[in-house]
Amino acid sequence: MATQLPEAADARVLVVDDERNITELLAMAFRYEGFEVDEAASGAEALERVVASPPSLIVLDVMMPGMDGFTVVKKLREQGRSTPVLFLTAKDTTKDAVEGLSLGADDYVTKPFSLEEVIARARAVLRRTGGLADAHRRLEVADLVMDDDTREVWRAGEPVELTDTEYRLLRYLLANPRRVLTRQQILQHVWDYDFGGDGRILETYVSYLRKKVDQVEPRLIHTVRGVGYTLRVPADAGGSAGT
């Protein structure tokens, strides 16, 4: 049975953007990852939501009509609220980043962004600010076990030595058991948010992992042809996991 890290447990995210399609997309992504989500379409509404139901994190668009994101953060800090803020900005400039961070924001993401990047940065902010649970930092699928605190991995009770990249790849697969992850999702998450290198590196590292963790049955790393990979116990646990 798979156990995911309960990093989103009790974490509420307030998504604020005047573009409804962006708000809905982000809200859906955060809910999928286990977060509770509130939405707001303006700076004024965001301030009301913070009072009514204080969030663990605010994902806040900078450029909004009426009251921009910078003003929202100023008002929050003037009220004595230290809620972590992750800015969304369409302006990829050092000036905007410095201004946002100087106002008390914790990080920023530049549009257009990948959902994986926003989630990853949100989790990082929440970890730094104590907004995520730290208990049970262990991932398990069948007899494959990863301890995220000690960075140790075991298969069938035997320790598995992994490089840093192999560990990050396996952790991403273990944190999303049975979910089919596309090649692009894996490349962005494991290698770089804007990975632009040779995609064949993924196939190489999957091969490395299989040699280290799939030498016993049941084989757990599956290829979904034309899509990507998934980590799961096969329906027939005694059969092959595929190629």
Side-chain angles (χ1 to χ4, degrees), residues 187-208:
L187 288 169
Q188 289 178 340
H189 186 92
V190 177
W191 274 268
D192 190 272
Y193 293 129
D194 298 310
F195 183 81
D198 188 344
R200 288 176 295 183
I201 191 172
L202 174 56
E203 283 71 24
T204 300
Y205 273 89
V206 168
S207 175
Y208 293 160

Side-chain angles (χ1 to χ4, degrees), residues 114-216:
S114 71
L115 294 175
E116 288 79 11
E117 176 179 6
V118 177
I119 297 295
R121 289 186 181 274
R123 288 187 184 279
V125 169
L126 285 167
R127 287 194 195 97
R128 291 197 302 268
T129 58
L132 289 180
D134 289 324
H136 311 299
R137 296 181 62 83
R138 181 171 282 214
L139 294 170
E140 300 179 27
V141 171
D143 58 359
L144 175 61
V145 180
M146 171 180 285
D147 189 312
D148 210 38
D149 287 325
T150 63
R151 294 181 70 84
E152 293 177 293
V153 177
W154 301 269
R155 180 76 204 266
E158 296 296 323
V160 178
E161 297 296 327
L162 300 176
T163 66
D164 181 63
T165 300
E166 290 168 350
Y167 182 91
R168 286 186 285 116
L169 174 56
L170 182 60
R171 188 191 185 284
Y172 190 45
L173 292 169
L174 273 167
N176 295 276
R178 299 182 301 279
R179 179 182 173 189
V180 177
L181 300 169
T182 68
R183 288 178 171 80
Q184 187 63 27
Q185 285 175 317
I186 298 172
L187 288 169
Q188 289 178 340
H189 186 92
V190 177
W191 274 268
D192 190 272
Y193 293 129
D194 298 310
F195 183 81
D198 188 344
R200 288 176 295 183
I201 191 172
L202 174 56
E203 283 71 24
T204 300
Y205 273 89
V206 168
S207 175
Y208 293 160
L209 273 186
R210 281 177 166 151
K211 290 177 181 177
K212 293 185 176 184
V213 305
D214 264 355
Q215 293 304 302
V216 298

Side-chain angles (χ1 to χ4, degrees), residues 62-84:
V62 170
M63 301 303 293
M64 294 185 294
M67 184 187 301
D68 64 20
F70 294 144
T71 303
V72 172
V73 174
K74 286 180 182 178
K75 289 184 177 293
L76 287 173
R77 301 307 181 237
E78 289 170 358
Q79 295 171 3
R81 298 182 183 277
S82 57
T83 310

